[in-house]
Amino acid sequence: MRVRDGDGGGEVTAPPQHLVFAYYITGHGFGHATRALEVVRHLVAAGHDVHVVTAAPEFVFTTEITSPSLHIRKVLLDCGAVQADALTVDRLASLEKYHQTAVVPRESILRTEAEWLNSIKADLVVSDVVPVACRAAADAGIRSVCVTNFSWDFIYAEYVVAAGHHHRSIVWQIAEDYSHCEFLLRLPGYCPMPAFRDVIDVPLVVRRLHRSRSEVRKELGIADDVKLVIFNFGGQPAGWELKKEWLPDGWLCLVCGASDTQKLPPNFIKLAKDAYTPDLMAASDCMLGKIGYGTVSEALAYKLPFVFVRRDYFNEEPFLRNMLEHYQCGIEMIRRDLLTGHWKPYLQRAITLQPCYDGPINGGEVAAHILQDTAVGKKYISGKLSGARRLRDAIVLGYQLQRAPGRDVGIPDWYSLSEKEISVRPTPTSHDMNGSAESSFEDFEILHGDMQGLTDTMSFLKSLSGLVGNDLRSPEKQTRERAAASVLFDWEEEIYVARAPGRLDVMGGIADYSGSLVLQGPFCNFSLHKMPIREACHVAVQRSDPTKQKQWKHTQARQLANGGAVPVLQIVSFGSELSNRAPTFDMDLSDFMDGDKPISYDKAKEYFSRDPSQKWAAYVAGTIFVLMSELGVRFTDSMSILVSSSVPEGKGVSSSASVEVASMSAIAAAYGLNIAPRDLALLCQKVENRVVGAPCGVMDQMTSACGEANKLLAMVCQPAEVKELVSIPTHIRFWGLDSGIRHSVGGTDYGSVRVGTYMGRKMIKCAASDLLSELLPSCTSMQSGDSNPDEYEEHGVDLLKSEASMEYLCNLPPHRYEAVYAKDIPETITGDVFLEKYGDHNDAVTEVDRKRSYCVRAPTRHPIYENSRVEAFKALLTASKTDEQLSALGELMFQCHYSYNACGLGSDGTDRLVNLVQEIRHRKTLRTGGPSLFGAKITGGGSGGSVCVIGKNCLKSSEEILEIQKRYKAATGYLPIVFEGSSPGACKFGYLKIRRRSTSPSN
C-alpha cells in the first residue's frame, strides 16, 4: 500500500502491518523538535502510530499534524545544555542538571520507560538524541535508532574539563547508552560520534513551506522590494533593547520569540509565539541569529544568507559553521556589534552573498522510510563495538577535527573541501623551507634583527608575503582570518615581529605552581627546569595614525557612529578556523580608560569575559592593558596585530605564555619600550592572572622570555629570579608526548589544588605560631634562671619564628615537615570549616568555596618534597655520564609524577604514557641490552596535557618513543604528538623590523 503525504513532499511506502513508534526528543531547544516533526509527519502519513516523548510545547507538533495517530507524552529525560543566556552555555550547570535529571533517578527511569514501551507495544524506539532511551529500549527488548547530527557524550566531554573529575562518569555512561542503539541516522553538519555502532547518512531534514514569499509578505503588509531580516535567537532575551537606527534605512526586521511586554521600534515587527518560521525565513532577505541545526539547515535549504553570532561552549557549532560558510551562506557578527547595534555593515554584506547549497532536503522522508523498514525487521548494518572505546575516539577525533592538521580519519566531503580551502598547513620542516621560503621572505626588507636560521620564522614571513596584494574579489573562497589579515597592515610601513616559544616542564611543574599552571608563591624556592621547545608563537605589530589605519568595515561603521577617528586595536588570530573561536577582534583603545586613568583589572577581565568566543583576545590585548596599568604607557596610535602560533593548545606546553610573551615583546619593540626579560615575564603573568583570570604563576612566561635553546632554565621562585641556564648534557635527551587529553590552567582541578596548597601553608604557619606561643614563656623563665643559654637555642625559637612567617612552602625541609607538622595536616577539609578556623588562605588569585571539599595533605606535601627533588635533579645533571645517573634522574621524575596524581592532577592518558615508559625501562632482553628511556612525568599543571620523558640521546631511544606512540594509539585510538627539539626564548630572539621591498620598475 502507498500512502500519500497530505500536501506535499513525498511518499512513504507503508508495510502490510500497522506499526508503533516511540520517538524520544531531547530537552534542549526547539531545533530537535522541529526536525523530529518532519520524520514523525511522514510516519503518521504512512498510517503508523507515533508516541512522541518530549518536553517541547505541543503546538510544535499539533499545528502540523492533526491525526489521532500522534500521541504526545510530556516527559523530560535529559536536559541538554543549560544556557546562561541566548548565546552562552553554563557548562558546570549543564552537567549538574543532567546529573539530577538523568543520573540520580536513572534506575527509576529505566524501569518506567521499559514498562511503558511494552505497554504501547512499540515496534521501534527512535531517539533525538536522548541517551537513556536507547538503554530503556534494550531493557524492553526493542530495537532503537538515533537521528541526529551530534551526541551528548561529545558535547559534554569538553564540559568535564571545566567541571572536574567527578562528572566524567556521566560522559562514559551516555556513550554506553548510545552503544545499545542499532544504528545512527546521521544528519549533515555532524560531529564525530563513534559511540554508535553503525551509521547511515541522510539528507538535510527541514520543515516544508506552506506559503510563498509573496503570500507571506502580503499577509504582513510588506512590499516585495523592502529588505527584510528575520531576528531569530530562539527566544528574545530580556534586556535586549532593539533600536530603530540599528537597521539600514528602509529595512524591516521580523522578531521571533519577543516577550508580550517587549516594546519594539516601528521598523521591528513582533511575531506570534507560534509563527511558522520556515515561511517567514523564505520571505526574508537574510537572517540574524545563533547557529543551531534548525537555523542552519533551513537557511541552507531556502538559500537565505545567515548573519550569525557564536554560541559559547556548544561543540556542534564549528561543524555547522563550516558547512554554512562552505556553501557561502554565512557571515559572522561580533557579539559586541550585535549588542551595541552595529548591524548595518553585516546586513548589507549578507544580501550580496549567493548561497549555493544544492543537496537534497528530503531527510525527513528518507529517515521515515529507513525507520519503517527497520521496525519490520530489516537489517541495514551489522557489527557491534564498545561504546566507551568509541567515545575515547570521539574526544580525540573532535579535537583533531577542530584543531589538528594532517588527519587520517574519514570526514564528510563538505568538511574535507572546507579544510582544503582554509589552507590547513602542517608544521614546516627544514627540508621544505630552504628554497621557497627564502624567495618569499625576501619580499620584505629586514631593517633590524636576525631570523637566526629559524625555519618557523621563515614560514611566518612567507605567510605575511602571501597576504600582500591579496585580491578579496577573487572567485576563490578565502578564510575569514586570511581575508581580514590581508587588509590589516599598510605594507609600505614598518612591521615589528617577535617570537616566543612554548616550554616543556622537565622538573618543578606545580612545585612553583605559579609557573603557569597553578599554585604560585608558596610553592617552590627553586623550580627547575623548563626547556623552551621548538614550537613558537609569532606576533606582528604595526602602529599607525588613527586617521590612516586600514580598518575593517564594521570597525569603520562604529567609528563613524561614534563621531570620528580614535585609536583602534585590530587583531587577527591565525588558526581560529580549527577551533571554536572568532578569528578577529577589535576595540577602541579608549575602552581601557576611565577618564585619564586605566580601568580596574576587574573591569578589564569582565570586558573580555563577555564574549567567550573572543576571550582569546585577552592574552593579546591584555598585554596592552597591563603596560598601561603597570608602566603608565599611553597608546595614542592605532595598532594592528597578527598572531600565528604553532604551540598547540591544551597540551600542557604553555601556549598561553608564548602568546603573551610574543605579543608584549612585539608591542614593546614597536613603541620603543625597553623592558628587562624578567620584568616582561612578570608583566605577562599579570595578563594571565588579572586579565584572563587563570591562577598560574610566572614559570612559563619566564621560560618563554628568558630561555635559550638546548638549556634548562633554573629559577628561584621567590618570587621569580633566573638562577642559571643549565646546559643539557649531550648524552641526555628530553621528549614531550601529548596524551590527547586537553589540559586547562583555568580548570577546576588545577585551581582547587592551588587552594589546598595555600590552606596547608596557612595551617603550618598557624601551628608554628601556636608552638611558639607555648614555648616563649618557658624560654623566658629559663633565661631569667640559671639554665644554660644553649638550651634556649635547642628549643628552636628562631626556627619556629621563621616557619610562623613562612612565605614559601618549599622553604620547609621535608624532615621538618614530617617531624612537626605532617600529623596535623588533614587529608581534606571543607571550605566553610577552613574559613571558620583559619580565616583566609591568603591567595590573591583564588577563592575558597565554602561548599567545596578540598584535598590538603597531598597538595601541601608536593612542593616541600618537589623542591628537594628539583635540587637533586640539578646536581645529578652534572654527575658522571652513567646509566646510574640516568636511572636516578628518571626515578626523580617518576616520583614527581605520582606526587601529581596524589594531588588529583593525574589523568588516564598521562598515566598510560608513563606506564609505557616504565614498562620499556624495566624490560630486559638479550637483544636490546640496557634501557634507553629512564623516566617520565606529567608536565605543567597536570589533569591531561603532555608527559616529559628522559632518555639517552641515541637511535634506540627514538625507536622506543615511536613504539610508545604506536602502543598508545592501539590502546586509545590517538597518536601522541611528539615535542622534541628546542629554540631560543623571546629575549634571545629579539625582534625583527621589516618593510615590504619597493616594487618600482627600476628594481
Side-chain angles (χ1 to χ4, degrees):
M1 173 174 70
R2 187 174 293 272
V3 180
R4 182 75 184 176
D5 157 24
D7 55 306
E11 301 174 336
V12 175
T13 303
Q17 72 265 42
H18 168 269
L19 298 172
V20 177
F21 294 87
Y23 208 125
Y24 289 81
I25 302 172
T26 187
H28 181 81
F30 274 15
H32 298 268
T34 56
R35 71 188 183 195
L37 164 66
E38 276 302 296
V39 182
V40 171
R41 185 171 65 84
H42 283 285
L43 291 172
V44 170
H48 307 304
D49 271 47
V50 182
H51 296 257
V52 175
V53 184
T54 181
E58 287 192 19
F59 74 79
V60 175
F61 298 91
T62 55
T63 54
E64 280 293 287
I65 305 172
T66 54
S67 168
S69 297
L70 172 67
H71 313 271
I72 306 294
R73 177 171 170 244
K74 297 297 290 291
V75 178
L76 179 66
L77 296 178
D78 72 349
C79 61
V82 176
Q83 295 193 201
D85 55 44
L87 296 172
T88 305
V89 171
D90 187 326
R91 294 171 291 178
L92 181 55
S94 298
L95 292 171
E96 293 285 3
K97 187 171 181 181
Y98 186 87
H99 179 78
Q100 294 301 320
T101 304
V103 177
V104 173
R106 177 177 173 82
E107 294 305 317
S108 173
I109 290 173
L110 289 172
R111 184 170 57 254
T112 301
E113 294 309 304
E115 291 173 357
W116 176 75
L117 288 171
N118 285 319
S119 73
I120 65 170
K121 295 180 171 56
D123 295 292
L124 185 70
V125 171
V126 187
S127 179
D128 182 1
V129 61
V130 181
V132 75
C134 303
R135 172 58 189 273
D139 290 352
I142 303 169
R143 300 166 74 188
S144 64
V145 175
C146 284
V147 184
T148 188
N149 66 305
F150 74 88
S151 55
W152 288 113
D153 49 359
F154 175 74
I155 300 298
Y156 287 160
E158 187 172 337
Y159 296 1
V160 171
V161 174
H165 292 66
H166 57 293
H167 281 300
R168 287 182 178 179
S169 60
I170 288 177
V171 183
W172 305 129
Q173 185 62 69
I174 290 174
E176 287 299 333
D177 284 348
Y178 286 145
S179 72
H180 292 287
C181 169
E182 184 104 353
F183 58 82
L184 166 68
L185 295 180
R186 189 168 60 178
L187 303 175
Y190 57 80
C191 304
M193 294 179 284
F196 296 97
R197 296 187 223 159
D198 289 307
V199 169
I200 301 173
D201 287 305
V202 297
L204 281 177
V205 176
V206 298
R207 290 176 288 178
R208 58 183 175 170
L209 297 178
H210 292 320
R211 293 172 295 171
S212 68
R213 172 187 171 95
S214 58
E215 288 173 336
V216 172
R217 284 182 169 244
K218 182 177 180 180
E219 181 180 317
L220 294 172
I222 299 172
D224 286 344
D225 60 347
V226 172
K227 295 300 179 187
L228 186 64
V229 56
I230 182 168
F231 186 74
N232 187 2
F233 279 88
Q236 174 75 2
W240 284 15
E241 183 182 351
L242 305 174
K243 297 182 180 180
K244 178 181 178 180
E245 60 270 21
W246 291 5
L247 298 178
D249 290 342
W251 282 56
L252 295 176
C253 179
L254 304 177
V255 180
C256 299
S259 66
D260 295 335
T261 58
Q262 179 78 25
K263 294 183 178 180
L264 298 178
N267 51 350
F268 287 78
I269 300 170
K270 186 184 300 185
L271 297 173
K273 284 285 196 304
D274 58 353
Y276 192 63
T277 311
D279 288 349
L280 296 164
M281 290 173 62
S284 300
D285 296 287
C286 63
M287 176 166 60
L288 172 56
K290 62 183 180 182
I291 286 180
Y293 179 85
T295 53
V296 169
S297 62
E298 289 172 355
L300 290 171
Y302 304 129
K303 293 182 169 56
L304 179 68
F306 187 0
V307 179
F308 63 86
V309 183
R310 295 190 188 219
R311 270 194 299 181
D312 307 320
Y313 312 125
F314 203 74
N315 297 352
E316 70 165 330
E317 183 173 282
F319 303 90
L320 293 170
R321 188 175 70 241
N322 272 290
M323 184 170 66
L324 192 68
E325 294 177 343
H326 174 69
Y327 292 111
Q328 301 176 39
C329 195
I331 292 177
E332 180 178 355
M333 176 184 282
I334 297 171
R335 183 179 302 190
R336 185 174 69 250
D337 287 342
L338 169 74
L339 300 178
T340 57
H342 294 288
W343 295 8
K344 295 177 183 178
Y346 298 97
L347 300 179
Q348 290 165 339
R349 168 74 179 117
I351 60 175
T352 68
L353 295 181
Q354 296 181 333
C356 59
Y357 182 78
D358 57 359
I361 59 173
N362 64 332
E365 177 188 352
V366 172
H369 182 81
I370 294 171
L371 294 175
Q372 180 180 264
D373 285 352
T374 303
V376 296
K378 180 174 180 179
K379 295 277 189 181
Y380 269 85
I381 306 176
S382 63
K384 299 180 185 295
L385 297 171
S386 161
R389 180 194 62 77
R390 288 191 299 269
L391 173 59
R392 285 191 288 270
D393 292 347
I395 295 172
V396 172
L397 180 57
Y399 287 118
Q400 284 183 319
L401 287 177
Q402 294 187 58
R403 304 177 193 279
R407 305 181 176 91
D408 59 354
V409 294
I411 52 179
D413 290 341
W414 60 263
Y415 197 97
S416 301
L417 293 170
S418 179
E419 186 181 32
K420 292 173 184 175
E421 290 169 359
I422 64 176
S423 305
V424 176
R425 301 179 299 277
T427 302
T429 56
S430 57
H431 70 269
D432 63 12
M433 287 302 308
N434 292 335
S436 61
E438 282 288 344
S439 60
S440 296
F441 69 69
E442 286 179 359
D443 291 346
F444 292 101
E445 181 181 4
I446 298 179
L447 305 174
H448 173 88
D450 180 6
M451 288 190 293
Q452 303 180 25
L454 293 166
T455 57
D456 61 341
T457 302
M458 297 178 191
S459 180
F460 178 69
L461 294 187
K462 179 183 177 182
S463 70
L464 285 181
S465 180
L467 298 173
V468 178
N470 193 24
D471 186 1
L472 295 179
R473 296 168 296 179
S474 169
E476 183 178 348
K477 183 178 179 293
Q478 303 181 63
T479 63
R480 283 170 295 144
E481 62 186 34
R482 290 193 67 80
S486 66
V487 295
L488 185 65
F489 296 125
D490 182 343
W491 300 109
E492 309 305 319
E493 299 298 328
E494 296 170 351
I495 298 172
Y496 294 80
V497 176
R499 176 191 185 278
R503 65 92 187 97
L504 183 63
D505 166 32
V506 176
M507 281 291 286
I510 63 163
D512 81 314
Y513 237 167
S514 60
S516 97
L517 301 163
V518 187
L519 310 179
Q520 184 184 338
F523 288 26
C524 183
N525 167 30
F526 194 131
S527 181
L528 189 95
H529 283 337
K530 310 259 183 176
M531 181 179 75
I533 60 176
R534 181 177 57 192
E535 290 77 10
C537 174
H538 286 81
V539 172
V541 172
Q542 184 177 75
R543 54 188 292 190
S544 55
D545 185 286
T547 61
K548 299 178 180 179
Q549 183 189 30
K550 300 177 73 173
Q551 294 181 345
W552 302 316
K553 289 183 179 180
H554 67 270
T555 310
Q556 293 173 353
R558 187 176 70 245
Q559 290 240 326
L560 289 173
N562 292 339
V566 296
V568 168
L569 171 65
Q570 295 186 142
I571 307 173
V572 175
S573 172
F574 275 180
S576 63
E577 299 288 346
L578 300 178
S579 64
N580 191 18
R581 68 170 186 264
T584 64
F585 174 83
D586 65 275
M587 63 176 292
D588 297 342
L589 286 174
S590 59
D591 291 348
F592 280 152
M593 299 297 292
D594 182 5
D596 60 350
K597 296 181 179 179
I599 60 177
S600 68
Y601 275 109
D602 287 342
K603 288 184 178 179
K605 179 181 174 182
E606 180 184 355
Y607 183 91
F608 291 105
S609 298
R610 289 183 300 192
D611 184 355
S613 72
Q614 290 192 317
K615 190 174 180 179
W616 62 266
Y619 295 97
V620 183
T623 62
I624 297 172
F625 177 73
V626 168
L627 289 172
M628 295 169 67
S629 299
E630 301 297 324
L631 301 187
V633 181
R634 296 295 178 263
F635 296 94
T636 56
D637 288 341
S638 290
M639 200 181 313
S640 300
I641 299 178
L642 175 63
V643 180
S644 179
S645 180
S646 63
V647 184
E649 301 172 25
K651 307 299 183 186
V653 288
S654 196
S655 58
S656 59
S658 65
V659 171
E660 294 154 359
V661 171
S663 298
M664 189 172 287
S665 298
I667 293 167
Y671 285 84
L673 305 176
N674 186 16
I675 305 174
R678 172 188 178 274
D679 295 337
L680 187 139
L682 288 169
L683 290 170
C684 289
Q685 183 200 11
K686 281 193 178 291
V687 175
E688 191 134 2
N689 286 171
R690 305 295 303 277
V691 182
V692 177
C696 77
V698 74
M699 279 304 305
D700 292 346
Q701 289 85 355
M702 289 290 287
T703 307
S704 188
C706 307
E708 294 186 17
N710 300 312
K711 293 182 179 180
L712 300 177
L713 187 72
M715 168 180 168
V716 177
C717 303
Q718 300 189 13
E721 298 292 342
V722 175
K723 185 169 185 178
E724 60 182 308
L725 288 159
V726 181
S727 295
I728 300 172
T730 55
H731 70 292
I732 294 177
R733 189 172 181 183
F734 295 101
W735 296 264
L737 285 172
D738 162 42
S739 67
I741 298 174
R742 186 171 176 81
H743 156 79
S744 172
V745 149
T748 304
D749 293 325
Y750 181 85
S752 67
V753 173
R754 176 173 180 136
V755 171
T757 305
Y758 276 82
M759 285 177 165
R761 185 189 68 165
K762 184 66 174 283
M763 291 175 182
I764 290 173
K765 291 175 69 175
C766 290
S769 296
D770 291 343
L771 289 172
L772 189 61
S773 62
E774 294 173 6
L775 192 59
L776 283 176
S778 62
C779 292
T780 303
S781 63
M782 282 189 292
Q783 282 185 303
S784 62
D786 297 328
S787 60
N788 189 330
D790 289 341
E791 295 180 14
Y792 175 74
E793 288 289 329
E794 290 174 5
H795 282 282
V797 171
D798 290 341
L799 188 57
L800 285 173
K801 283 182 177 179
S802 68
E803 290 165 355
S805 60
M806 177 177 58
E807 190 172 356
Y808 302 96
L809 264 181
C810 62
N811 288 340
L812 185 66
H815 75 272
R816 183 70 179 165
Y817 169 75
E818 296 293 349
V820 182
Y821 302 108
K823 63 183 182 299
D824 296 322
I825 303 298
E827 189 75 35
T828 60
I829 192 171
T830 59
D832 56 352
V833 171
F834 174 85
L835 293 172
E836 183 70 25
K837 185 173 181 179
Y838 296 100
D840 190 15
H841 69 320
N842 302 125
D843 179 20
V845 296
T846 59
E847 295 181 357
V848 176
D849 183 346
R850 286 184 172 273
K851 297 180 180 179
R852 180 162 189 165
S853 178
Y854 293 94
C855 180
V856 178
R857 184 178 298 163
T860 301
R861 193 177 190 273
H862 177 82
I864 295 170
Y865 279 82
E866 183 71 359
N867 190 57
S868 294
R869 286 190 288 264
V870 166
E871 291 184 354
F873 194 95
K874 178 177 179 292
L876 280 167
L877 280 175
T878 59
S880 58
K881 302 177 181 179
T882 63
D883 281 3
E884 286 74 18
Q885 175 209 27
L886 282 163
S887 294
L889 290 169
E891 177 60 28
L892 290 169
M893 293 178 72
F894 284 136
Q895 290 178 17
C896 175
H897 176 78
Y898 291 110
S899 186
Y900 263 76
N901 282 2
C903 292
L905 291 171
S907 75
D908 296 340
T910 49
D911 281 350
R912 184 182 293 274
L913 287 169
V914 170
N915 290 340
L916 286 170
V917 173
Q918 286 183 341
E919 187 178 321
I920 290 175
R921 161 80 177 84
H922 293 296
R923 73 185 176 190
K924 295 180 180 179
T925 66
L926 293 175
R927 183 180 64 82
T928 59
S932 294
L933 301 180
F934 288 86
K937 62 175 282 289
I938 194 169
T939 66
S943 297
S946 301
V947 302
C948 176
V949 181
I950 186 172
K952 289 181 179 178
N953 188 8
C954 63
L955 178 60
K956 179 185 171 186
S957 61
S958 297
E959 292 172 346
E960 291 177 343
I961 290 292
L962 179 59
E963 178 188 343
I964 290 172
Q965 284 182 279
K966 291 179 178 178
R967 290 176 63 181
Y968 189 86
K969 182 178 182 181
T972 68
Y974 178 74
L975 182 67
I977 298 171
V978 177
F979 300 100
E980 54 184 334
S982 185
S983 66
C987 295
K988 194 72 173 177
F989 177 83
Y991 68 90
L992 302 179
K993 181 164 71 172
I994 63 173
R995 183 172 55 205
R996 186 187 179 194
R997 294 184 185 277
S998 172
T999 56
S1000 62
S1002 61
N1003 292 338

